[in-house]
């Protein structure tokens, strides 16, 4: 049972299957807001609602092409087992020479028909292990870095991660939280190791005396185009002295661009299947 005196973010850590690290970081960011805690929690609720909508769209967009690819794989296996062997035998009876690639597929079909039980067991095992370990594996630094460089879908994830980080940054900055917490929690809220490292490096530069715009300018390479956009917003905001509205608009732009890319993601994923 959770102690009533325990902070909400600490209580969330007891249920990792329900609250991921990004949600816990955003909640901890809200708790650091002092007197504006209520306002920040409301902003957090809106941000999480928009985040959930985007993730549902992302999963839905990827589901259709993956299902088509799976069906195509099953159909090809059935054709290889049922249709290919009779054709090969017929051509052999006619004295025709069987191409090497066709012979490979023919031999594979013989193996599949002979050891079908082992193949089914292996397939079920792979599916079980995938569902069991895909969550932990997706949270490893290697997986997080790899997902960001995937064609097209990587740009969607990069925009989503940057929008998360900037939303947390703006909420904390407006609430007057300490800089160390702002950059630490903004990086953690992104949900990706690349952005955590970027915000940590930016804070390290600021603590050594650099301005925020200069620090972001030096570390923008870590986040590619998204980092360059943030650095440009900060450079413009340095003249007015108020960077929070500009960064909030940048977060909204990343979110809108992510939504527009999600709209055409199914077509982009279908192209390799044509």
């Amino acid at each position: 049972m959770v102690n009533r005196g325990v902070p909400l973010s600490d209580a969330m850590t007891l249920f990792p299957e329900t609250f991921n690290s990004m949600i816990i970081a955003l909640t901890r960011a809200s708790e650091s807001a002092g007197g504006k805690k209520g306002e920040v929690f409301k902003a957090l609720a809106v941000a999480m609602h928009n985040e959930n909508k985007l993730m549902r769209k992302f999963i839905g967009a990827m589901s259709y092409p993956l299902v088509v690819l799976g069906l195509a794989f099953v159909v090809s296996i059935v054709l290889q087992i049922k249709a290919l062997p009779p054709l090969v035998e017929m051509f052999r009876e006619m004295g025709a020479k069987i191409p090497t690639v066709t012979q490979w597929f023919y031999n594979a079909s013989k193996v599949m028909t002979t050891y079908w039980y082992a193949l089914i067991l292996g397939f079920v095992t792979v599916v079980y292990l995938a569902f069991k370990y895909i969550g932990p594996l997706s949270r490893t630094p290697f997986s997080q870095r790899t997902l960001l460089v995937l064609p097209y879908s990587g740009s969607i994830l990069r925009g989503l991660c940057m929008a998360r980080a900037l939303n947390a940054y703006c909420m904390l900055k407006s609430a007057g939280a300490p800089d160390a917490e702002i950059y630490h929690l903004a990086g953690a809220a992104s949900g990706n190791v690349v952005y955590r490292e970027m915000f940590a490096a930016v804070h390290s530069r600021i603590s050594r005396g650099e301005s925020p715009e200069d620090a972001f300018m030096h570390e923008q390479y870590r986040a590619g185009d998204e980092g360059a956009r943030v650095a440009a917003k900060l450079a413009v905001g340095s003249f007015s002295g108020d960077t929070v509205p500009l960064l909030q608009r940048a977060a909204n732009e990343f979110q809108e661009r992510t939504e527009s890319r999600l709209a055409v993601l199914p077509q982009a994923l279908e192209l390799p299947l044509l």
Side-chain angles (χ1 to χ4, degrees):
M1 189 171 180
V2 179
N3 191 327
R4 290 182 181 274
V6 174
L8 179 58
S9 58
D10 291 342
M12 285 179 170
T13 60
L14 302 176
F15 307 96
E17 67 282 353
T18 303
F19 304 105
N20 59 38
S21 59
M22 185 271 296
I23 294 176
I24 294 172
L26 286 175
T27 304
R28 188 166 286 127
S30 302
E31 293 169 345
S32 303
K36 297 185 178 180
K37 184 183 296 186
E39 297 177 11
V40 175
F41 265 115
K42 290 179 181 178
L44 172 63
V46 173
M48 289 176 59
H49 176 69
N50 294 333
E51 161 80 11
N52 289 333
K53 284 200 304 183
L54 285 177
M55 288 305 298
R56 286 196 297 270
K57 288 182 180 179
F58 181 72
I59 294 172
M62 294 194 67
S63 298
Y64 172 69
L66 291 177
V67 169
V68 171
L69 183 62
L71 290 175
F73 177 75
V74 171
V75 170
S76 66
I77 293 297
V78 172
L79 290 175
Q80 184 175 342
I81 294 175
K82 296 295 184 180
L84 183 61
L87 290 174
V88 171
E89 296 298 337
M90 181 182 69
F91 281 113
R92 279 180 174 171
E93 292 176 0
M94 296 171 58
K97 183 180 179 180
I98 306 300
T100 303
V101 176
T102 303
Q103 186 64 47
W104 289 347
F105 279 107
Y106 177 74
N107 294 337
S109 67
K110 289 296 185 183
V111 171
M112 285 187 285
T113 53
T114 304
Y115 301 102
W116 60 270
Y117 52 90
L119 293 174
I120 292 177
L121 179 61
F123 176 77
V124 172
T125 302
V126 169
V127 172
Y128 169 76
L129 292 176
F131 276 102
K132 184 176 182 179
Y133 294 108
I134 193 169
L137 286 175
S138 66
R139 291 190 289 270
T140 61
F142 175 78
S143 298
Q144 291 182 2
R145 295 180 193 276
T146 302
L147 289 172
L148 292 182
V149 299
L150 292 176
Y152 200 84
S153 60
S155 64
I156 293 175
L157 290 175
R158 290 195 301 271
L160 196 57
C161 290
M162 185 60 84
R164 291 171 179 167
L166 292 181
N167 278 324
Y169 177 92
C170 293
M171 284 190 292
L172 289 169
K173 197 73 172 176
S174 298
D179 280 348
E181 291 189 4
I182 290 176
Y183 289 97
H184 170 72
L185 293 174
S190 70
N192 190 278
V193 64
V194 172
Y195 295 90
R196 286 200 300 269
E197 292 174 351
M198 176 186 177
F199 277 84
V202 167
H203 178 253
S204 177
R205 287 182 175 275
I206 293 174
S207 63
R208 295 198 300 267
E210 291 189 24
S211 64
E213 54 271 17
D214 288 339
F216 268 99
M217 189 66 69
H218 285 115
E219 300 296 336
Q220 62 176 301
Y221 70 93
R222 296 177 182 268
D225 292 341
E226 288 75 18
R229 286 174 178 268
V230 173
K233 294 287 186 182
L234 281 170
V236 173
S238 63
F239 293 101
S240 63
D242 191 1
T243 59
V244 172
L246 286 173
L247 291 181
Q248 187 61 64
R249 282 199 292 271
N252 295 336
E253 289 171 6
F254 284 128
Q255 199 156 330
E256 291 170 2
R257 189 171 64 169
T258 299
E259 290 181 355
S260 63
R261 287 181 173 177
L262 279 173
V264 297
L265 180 60
Q267 291 81 1
L269 293 176
E270 283 177 359
L271 290 177
L273 304 179
L274 297 178

